[in-house]
Amino acid sequence: MKCIVAVVIVTLVTGAAAEASVRTCEPIKVAMCKNIGYNQTGMPNLARHTLQADADVTLQTFSPLVQYGCSSQLHLFLCSVYVPMCTDKVALPIGPCRGLCESVYTRCYPVLHGFGFLWPPELDCSLFPAENNHEHMCMEGPGERAPPIGTVSMDMGNSGGRGACRRLIKPKNWVWVRGSARCAQFCDAEVLWDGGERKAAEVWLATWAALSFACTLAAVGAQLACGDRGGAGERALVLVALCRCAAAAGWGVRAAAGRAAAGCAKDSTSPTRMLLAHDGLANPNCAVVFLLLYYFGLAASVWWVVVAGAWRASVLRPPAPTTAASRTNRHSSLLQLAAWGVPAALAAAVLVTRDVDADELTGTCFVGNQSSKSLLALVIIPEAICLLLGCVFLSSGFRAVLRRPAPVPAPSVLLNSPPQPHQDQSVLRLGAFAALYAVPSACILATWVYEYAWRDEWLAAPVPSSEPSTHSKPAFWVFLFRIFATQVLGVMVAVWIATPSLKALWRRIAGPRKQPPLAKCPPGPPPTPLTLHCYATHSHTLTRHPHKYATYRPPQTHSYRKPRHYHYSAGETIL
């Protein structure tokens, strides 16, 4: 037995010596691990790869995790395992210490588990030395980096950490989320708004959303029932109402589901803890509310641009009926693609970047509620472009209207034709609507710019030396006005298109208007005849009426050259 143990020990020592003699240091050729802090490695590595090319292929599989940024030390940890440091003074490769492995495992394993992947066996932390000493040399790592000083926004990027939440107002109401690398607010925490303001905003939102939904639904239904679709501008106007109806339905889904069900989500690290939704894809209700509000709200803005453009085209060059029909058919596909495709592309970009988040005031999921960059890129800029294009079309059309001379009707038209309604009435109504629609849209855009400009200052923790009253807070009326302006757009377009449609529908239901009955003659004996005498040889007989009025009928065969004097038998004279 002793002989066998001795042979095993000798074999292990000989194998280690042979391995040490075979391993030689060589320059690092893996692009991912260059400039990592050392430039020499030796094969085989800690994962038993004998070539750097094999190690490079394995490291490429971790590229999405490195780009995700779950840990600032993940890059060093992977290179120390697959491309370990080599020196001529140490026979064995120098890999990571157990503390470095556990730090990376704590931050990155939830991410891998969320995507359905397991932690690789060759990265098991128990395989690495517990500490760096003269017996087992290993790399401990620089530690997790803190976020840059002065960064106070909730979207800290990939360099965030727990220290970032201490720079926010009321730091006890925030928690650092490793998966999204940002500070998330507790669902019921009162950071910028108190309970009374939340309740008032929710009642205000539900009231105006219900009114907008009912008005737009009735207007679209009346328009479809009448069947008179009109020109391109009128059809685009109906689509604006339809989009506003769908957006109001999104507010209704939020009100029906409740704040917690629509705007909050469970924390991945603590299932019993509820956080304000910062990744809306984790909550189906949140995702549905976002799609209804963002997609159809932006589509309504694009269709309003189409309305303004159609009105400008009708003002500048009024086409003939055949020309208008051919032009509408030719541009209809392009308009449909622009109006539905652009909002769809932006909504897909939001879903891919997982920027759907909830608002603290109303608990409504949108984009940019917690990220200033997303608010600027995905909300302010698209709405500003739509508003600018629409205003350009409106200004061009109004300038053409002011410069156009007033039409003078021909005398034959005035004498022979019956009075016709003004042919430009629908065009004027369309232009008036496009101009009025721009006013609430500009106000909504101003509220978003206000939030973007001051959000970081609202969320920044106050300076200890300053008084608490000096810390700026958002104006509550601005956000209430945003809700009102958003919903009043739907009410306005509904009233605008429903008025003529409801009139036409009422005429169709009621039928043709009945003629009033003729007045009957008063009962009694027939009036006595009235005899008139004149200087001519002709005699005329008129019928006497009760109020001494007579109807004069000139003779058919005689022409009078001068006025004649007629006398009643009672002595009255008629000229």
Side-chain angles (χ1 to χ4, degrees):
M1 191 62 160
K2 293 181 180 181
C3 295
I4 296 175
V5 173
V7 170
V8 171
I9 293 175
V10 171
T11 304
L12 291 177
V13 173
T14 306
E19 184 179 359
S21 61
V22 171
R23 176 180 285 109
T24 56
C25 297
E26 57 186 20
I28 296 178
K29 301 178 182 178
V30 180
M32 183 177 176
C33 296
K34 290 184 177 180
N35 302 322
I36 197 66
Y38 56 91
N39 54 11
Q40 295 286 328
T41 185
M43 292 292 161
N45 57 15
L46 301 182
R48 299 302 177 184
H49 293 146
T50 57
L51 298 175
Q52 291 193 44
D54 298 336
D56 191 8
V57 173
T58 305
L59 284 172
Q60 294 300 324
T61 61
F62 292 95
S63 295
L65 191 63
V66 174
Q67 295 177 1
Y68 190 86
C70 57
S71 173
S72 60
Q73 300 186 111
L74 176 62
H75 193 187
L76 174 63
F77 171 68
L78 294 175
C79 289
S80 63
V81 173
Y82 293 99
V83 189
M85 185 174 65
C86 179
T87 178
D88 297 336
K89 299 179 180 180
V90 179
L92 298 177
I94 302 175
C97 295
R98 188 176 302 172
L100 174 60
C101 176
E102 292 175 348
S103 176
V104 173
Y105 177 84
T106 303
R107 289 165 174 79
C108 296
Y109 175 70
V111 179
L112 282 178
H113 182 71
F115 287 101
F117 294 99
L118 299 176
W119 190 255
E122 60 270 16
L123 302 182
D124 189 0
C125 296
S126 61
L127 300 177
F128 309 118
E131 59 181 3
N132 182 27
N133 51 37
H134 64 282
E135 296 181 357
H136 302 284
M137 297 186 64
C138 60
M139 290 180 282
E140 297 178 347
E144 296 293 336
R145 294 191 301 269
I149 298 176
T151 305
V152 296
S153 179
M154 286 181 290
D155 50 334
M156 296 295 178
N158 295 335
S159 61
R162 294 185 179 90
C165 301
R166 300 189 184 98
R167 296 181 174 90
L168 299 174
I169 185 175
K170 299 180 181 180
K172 294 183 180 180
N173 294 329
W174 303 87
V175 62
W176 176 256
V177 181
R178 301 189 189 99
S180 59
R182 66 168 59 180
C183 291
Q185 179 183 337
F186 291 115
C187 185
D188 297 330
E190 298 179 359
V191 177
L192 296 178
W193 314 103
D194 55 25
E197 292 171 335
R198 291 181 179 181
K199 186 64 177 179
E202 187 167 357
V203 174
W204 181 261
L205 170 62
T207 302
W208 282 104
L211 180 61
S212 176
F213 179 77
C215 292
T216 51
L217 185 62
V220 174
Q223 186 73 10
L224 295 178
C226 291
D228 185 12
R229 302 184 64 185
E234 287 76 8
R235 291 195 297 270
L237 192 62
V238 176
L239 291 175
V240 172
L242 183 62
C243 292
R244 285 298 169 189
C245 182
W251 294 101
V253 172
R254 152 63 190 93
R259 178 184 178 86
C264 299
K266 294 182 179 180
D267 187 5
S268 58
T269 59
S270 179
T272 59
R273 184 170 56 189
M274 298 294 293
L275 302 177
L276 195 66
H278 56 278
D279 182 3
L281 299 182
N283 188 344
N285 296 329
C286 183
V288 170
V289 172
F290 158 74
L291 287 175
L292 290 174
L293 292 181
Y294 184 75
Y295 176 73
F296 287 102
L298 189 56
S301 299
V302 179
W303 278 117
W304 169 73
V305 176
V306 175
V307 172
W311 175 76
R312 174 186 175 273
S314 62
V315 168
L316 293 180
R317 294 186 301 273
T322 56
T323 306
S326 61
R327 185 177 300 174
T328 301
N329 295 331
R330 185 170 62 252
H331 296 294
S332 177
S333 301
L334 296 178
L335 294 178
Q336 295 284 344
L337 179 62
W340 300 118
V342 173
L346 292 177
V350 175
L351 294 176
V352 169
T353 56
R354 309 178 76 91
D355 283 337
V356 180
D357 47 21
D359 180 21
E360 179 193 350
L361 180 61
T362 61
T364 304
C365 288
F366 200 64
V367 55
N369 288 323
Q370 303 177 20
S371 174
S372 298
K373 295 180 181 179
S374 300
L375 179 63
L376 176 64
L378 299 171
V379 178
I380 294 178
I381 292 179
E383 291 290 344
I385 292 175
C386 292
L387 184 62
L388 180 61
L389 289 177
C391 291
V392 168
F393 291 151
L394 288 176
S395 60
S396 177
F398 281 123
R399 184 176 59 182
V401 170
L402 294 177
R403 292 183 177 180
R404 177 187 298 177
V408 179
S412 60
V413 175
L414 293 176
L415 295 176
N416 301 328
S417 299
Q420 298 290 340
H422 202 286
Q423 297 179 357
D424 294 338
Q425 184 179 4
S426 60
V427 177
L428 294 178
R429 290 187 74 256
L430 197 65
F433 164 78
L436 291 177
Y437 192 94
V439 177
S441 300
C443 295
I444 296 172
L445 182 62
T447 60
W448 277 326
V449 174
Y450 167 75
E451 183 178 359
Y452 172 78
W454 295 96
R455 173 185 288 166
D456 288 346
E457 186 173 346
W458 297 337
L459 295 175
V463 182
S465 59
S466 63
E467 298 180 1
S469 59
T470 59
H471 187 266
S472 61
K473 291 186 62 178
F476 182 56
W477 67 269
V478 173
F479 293 85
L480 291 183
F481 178 76
R482 178 193 296 174
I483 296 173
F484 164 76
T486 303
Q487 304 306 320
V488 82
L489 286 175
V491 176
M492 184 178 66
V493 65
V495 172
W496 205 265
I497 69 174
T499 303
S501 299
L502 290 177
K503 287 182 179 179
L505 183 61
W506 174 253
R507 292 193 189 100
R508 180 177 298 181
I509 294 175
R513 183 179 299 177
K514 297 181 179 180
Q515 297 294 333
L518 298 176
K520 297 181 180 180
C521 296
T528 58
L530 177 64
T531 303
L532 299 177
H533 301 278
C534 60
Y535 295 105
T537 59
H538 302 279
S539 61
H540 303 273
T541 302
L542 298 177
T543 304
R544 182 182 298 274
H545 290 278
H547 301 286
K548 296 183 180 182
Y549 292 101
T551 303
Y552 168 67
R553 297 181 180 178
Q556 302 295 332
T557 60
H558 186 77
S559 174
Y560 299 97
R561 297 182 179 179
K562 60 181 179 178
R564 303 293 182 177
H565 292 79
Y566 302 92
H567 299 276
Y568 284 105
S569 61
E572 296 180 357
T573 303
I574 298 178
L575 294 180

